[in-house]
Amino acid sequence: VNYDTPACMDGVCYYCGGFVAGLGHENGAWAPCMKGECSYGCGLEYPATAEHEDNEGDGYCDVCWSHLNHTFENGFDPCLGGECSVCWTFVEGKHEYFYPCDPVCINCYEITNPDAAHSVIHVEAKEPTCLESGNIEYWYCEFCGATWLDAECTLNTNLKAIMLPSPNPVIIHVEAKAPTCTENGNIEYWYCELCGYAWLDAECTLNTNLKAVILPAEHTFANPCDTYCVVCEEDVRDPNHTLTYVPCVEPVDCQTPGNIEHWYCEVCEGYFNDENGVNQLNPWYIPITADCVRPEGSADCASVNCLVCGEEIYGYGDHDLGESFPCQGGTCLKCGQKIEGYGCANYDTPACMDGVCYYCGGFVAGLGHENGAWAPCMKGECSYGCGLEYPATAEHVDNEGDGYCDTCWSHLNHTFENGFDPCYGGECSICWTFVAGEHDFEDEFTVDKAPTEEETGLESRHCKNCEAVTDETEIPTIMRGDVNGDGEVTAKDSIAIKKYIKGITDDISFYNADMNGDDEISAKDSNLLKKYLSSF
């Protein structure tokens, strides 16, 4: 017998101390609409499993006969309760509180909940953003909303005092940018410089993120197998061909061609001569064709039909016209075909000029010159290559103002960012046209090497901008006294030097007239020449 615990629960025998099994709990309520307790007095409560029913409308449950709508004619204290004046059932009251942490009842104003305590929640400090306010570190009660600045809840504050207001957003507009082979691009978007939020519209209503707006960098290939990027023009990856080996097949005849050994890619439809797909082949060189079969004994210059496919085979040999000239025609001695002459041909001079036939030696009239320029504002040359130049007959016109001639599309205002040499020219940095320079030579000759009595000298005209020279002329060896340069020293030379000194003529040999070698022609030289002539 277990006297220490209710019979519904396991226990120990009062006499022998042995185990006594409990009978199990049993709901003492005799109707499902009633709350109940365990019949054995253990205190276990059972909730009602059904609602009260009052179909008769008399204020009593049809199942358990409980009085449903209590009436308190003698008053009802919300804290202490009261007795129903109809069924005499005592209904207990209940203290009420504004918050679970309040110790004082709101009805009786007495401390009826002495163990009440705040349920404190700690809130970490948070920086404000342009979309959301921040706060300093604080603690608050989740029941009553009281707020403190310390964990001990001694420094009171309020939710307004701990808030950090949001700053004004700084919206940045980012233009769309196409990606390159090495740099990412992006679509057009707007973002806040403070919080990092991003949007797809200027009104900042379509949310996105900075990762979603990126267009990744990628290379562009002509086909999936290529290693060569058509944008950056570099090999950026290994080939990725799907290759099939095709062995060499010899042709059967002109109707059934063969092929060389190769590898074929099914993806890019390329042909390669190696198994790694590195060396690509031109498809025209893949087939191996056989020649058509000519009838036996046919002349090599005659056209015949192939014995296999029946198609015409042109002769591969030259016709033999005997003593006739090709320009005049005649009968071929090999095939018997009458060959028409194709006219006299002048190969030695341009077609615009008269000449002699290469074959028969007869006269060939020229076709006349023809200007090869296709626009009147262009300089031209004869189309037949004789070198005859044609000047432009009109000025360039640039009504559109784009720097190009409206007629011939020539670039008019050349720019030489890499420099222009006045003598040798330069390349226009816009249209890449090479513009030739031109030497600017001095009008007067410069003596490059003075003559002596044993060696000739040299004179030329020098370029004003570089070291180029032109009109190089040999200066004869010096023959003192031969002023007129006729190879003799006579009285004529004395007369010539006097005319030079008086300014009547300058047609003399300067070095021959300079009798004393002082690089001047003066009366001294005239007297020395006169003295020289009088010695004979």
Side-chain angles (χ1 to χ4, degrees):
V1 178
N2 171 22
Y3 294 127
D4 296 326
T5 56
C8 59
M9 303 173 67
D10 296 338
V12 179
C13 177
Y14 176 77
Y15 301 104
C16 67
F19 173 76
V20 179
L23 300 176
H25 300 291
E26 183 179 288
N27 188 356
W30 54 271
C33 54
M34 297 175 65
K35 294 180 180 179
E37 290 187 359
C38 180
S39 302
Y40 297 106
C42 68
L44 178 65
E45 294 183 350
Y46 287 85
T49 58
E51 296 291 332
H52 292 292
E53 295 181 10
D54 183 14
N55 295 323
E56 298 178 2
D58 57 0
Y60 290 86
C61 178
D62 299 339
V63 179
C64 67
W65 311 316
S66 298
H67 185 231
L68 302 181
N69 301 316
H70 295 298
T71 302
F72 303 95
E73 293 181 357
N74 297 321
F76 180 82
D77 188 299
C79 296
L80 302 178
E83 189 177 63
C84 178
S85 54
V86 176
C87 64
W88 312 111
T89 300
F90 183 82
V91 179
E92 294 183 356
K94 185 179 180 181
H95 293 291
E96 294 181 350
Y97 309 94
F98 273 120
Y99 304 106
C101 55
D102 279 348
V104 179
C105 174
I106 63 174
N107 295 315
C108 65
Y109 304 108
E110 294 183 1
I111 299 176
T112 56
N113 188 20
D115 297 327
H118 292 292
S119 177
V120 179
I121 295 177
H122 177 219
V123 180
E124 297 284 350
K126 183 177 70 173
E127 291 293 329
T129 69
C130 57
L131 298 180
E132 188 176 28
S133 59
N135 57 266
I136 61 176
E137 183 183 33
Y138 69 98
W139 289 257
Y140 77 98
C141 175
E142 65 175 334
F143 296 139
C144 66
T147 311
W148 303 274
L149 295 176
D150 60 335
E152 293 75 23
C153 300
T154 59
L155 301 175
N156 290 327
T157 184
N158 58 69
L159 292 177
K160 185 176 181 181
I162 55 93
M163 301 306 292
L164 299 175
S166 300
N168 293 326
V170 179
I171 305 300
I172 305 297
H173 177 218
V174 181
E175 297 283 351
K177 183 178 73 171
T180 66
C181 297
T182 56
E183 293 185 0
N184 291 336
N186 57 267
I187 60 175
E188 182 183 32
Y189 68 97
W190 288 256
Y191 78 97
C192 176
E193 193 174 38
L194 299 179
C195 66
Y197 279 82
W199 302 271
L200 296 176
D201 60 333
E203 293 75 23
C204 301
T205 60
L206 302 175
N207 289 329
T208 184
N209 59 70
L210 294 178
K211 185 176 181 181
V213 300
I214 296 300
L215 299 175
E218 59 181 355
H219 294 285
T220 303
F221 304 96
N223 61 65
C225 304
D226 276 357
T227 64
Y228 181 78
C229 173
V230 297
V231 177
C232 65
E233 299 181 349
E234 293 183 2
D235 285 320
V236 294
R237 67 178 185 183
D238 295 329
N240 190 31
H241 298 292
T242 303
L243 298 175
T244 301
Y245 174 69
V246 181
C248 177
V249 177
E250 294 295 333
V252 177
D253 51 38
C254 59
Q255 288 288 84
T256 310
N259 59 264
I260 63 173
E261 179 188 43
H262 64 278
W263 284 261
Y264 174 71
C265 176
E266 300 175 356
V267 178
C268 66
E269 300 181 352
Y271 297 86
F272 303 88
N273 66 358
D274 63 294
E275 61 183 358
N276 296 319
V278 176
N279 301 315
Q280 191 165 3
L281 296 171
N282 189 321
W284 287 96
Y285 300 119
I286 300 298
I288 302 175
T289 57
D291 294 332
C292 290
V293 180
R294 297 175 64 88
E296 187 176 354
S298 60
D300 61 359
C301 57
S303 296
V304 294
N305 293 329
C306 174
L307 297 179
V308 176
C309 64
E311 293 188 4
E312 184 179 7
I313 308 172
Y314 295 102
Y316 58 87
D318 294 329
H319 291 292
D320 184 2
L321 298 181
E323 296 181 357
S324 299
F325 295 108
C327 57
Q328 298 172 346
T331 302
C332 177
L333 300 181
K334 293 192 294 183
C335 65
Q337 181 181 354
K338 185 175 181 180
I339 308 301
E340 294 186 3
Y342 41 75
C344 293
N346 171 22
Y347 296 129
D348 295 328
T349 56
C352 55
M353 303 172 67
D354 297 338
V356 177
C357 177
Y358 175 79
Y359 301 103
C360 66
F363 174 75
V364 179
L367 300 177
H369 300 293
E370 181 180 288
N371 187 357
W374 55 272
C377 53
M378 297 175 64
K379 293 180 181 180
E381 290 188 357
C382 178
S383 302
Y384 296 108
C386 68
L388 178 65
E389 294 183 351
Y390 288 84
T393 58
E395 296 291 332
H396 291 295
V397 178
D398 182 16
N399 293 324
E400 297 180 3
D402 57 0
Y404 291 84
C405 177
D406 300 338
T407 306
C408 67
W409 311 319
S410 297
H411 184 230
L412 302 181
N413 301 316
H414 294 299
T415 302
F416 303 95
E417 294 183 358
N418 297 323
F420 180 82
D421 189 296
C423 297
Y424 299 101
E427 189 176 61
C428 176
S429 52
I430 296 178
C431 65
W432 310 111
T433 300
F434 182 81
V435 179
E438 185 176 0
H439 293 292
D440 184 10
F441 293 104
E442 300 280 358
D443 295 331
E444 301 294 331
F445 279 84
T446 298
V447 176
D448 302 313
K449 178 185 176 183
T452 65
E453 295 179 358
E454 290 79 22
E455 294 183 355
T456 59
L458 184 67
E459 65 178 356
S460 63
R461 292 194 299 124
H462 287 225
C463 177
K464 297 177 181 178
N465 300 312
C466 68
E467 297 181 356
V469 296
T470 188
D471 297 338
E472 290 184 317
T473 305
E474 185 181 79
I475 303 175
T477 55
I478 297 175
M479 182 178 180
R480 303 289 183 187
D482 185 14
V483 178
N484 59 8
D486 61 358
E488 296 179 330
V489 180
T490 63
K492 294 180 181 180
D493 298 303
S494 180
I495 297 172
I497 196 171
K498 290 179 181 179
K499 286 183 177 181
Y500 177 82
I501 294 172
K502 292 180 180 181
I504 300 174
T505 184
D506 58 359
D507 184 18
I508 65 170
S509 175
F510 181 88
Y511 292 99
N512 291 347
D514 186 13
M515 297 296 292
N516 59 4
D518 62 358
D519 291 332
E520 291 183 4
I521 307 299
S522 62
K524 295 179 180 179
D525 299 301
S526 178
N527 292 332
L528 289 174
L529 176 58
K530 185 177 180 181
K531 183 177 180 180
Y532 174 77
L533 290 173
S534 63
S535 63
F536 291 98

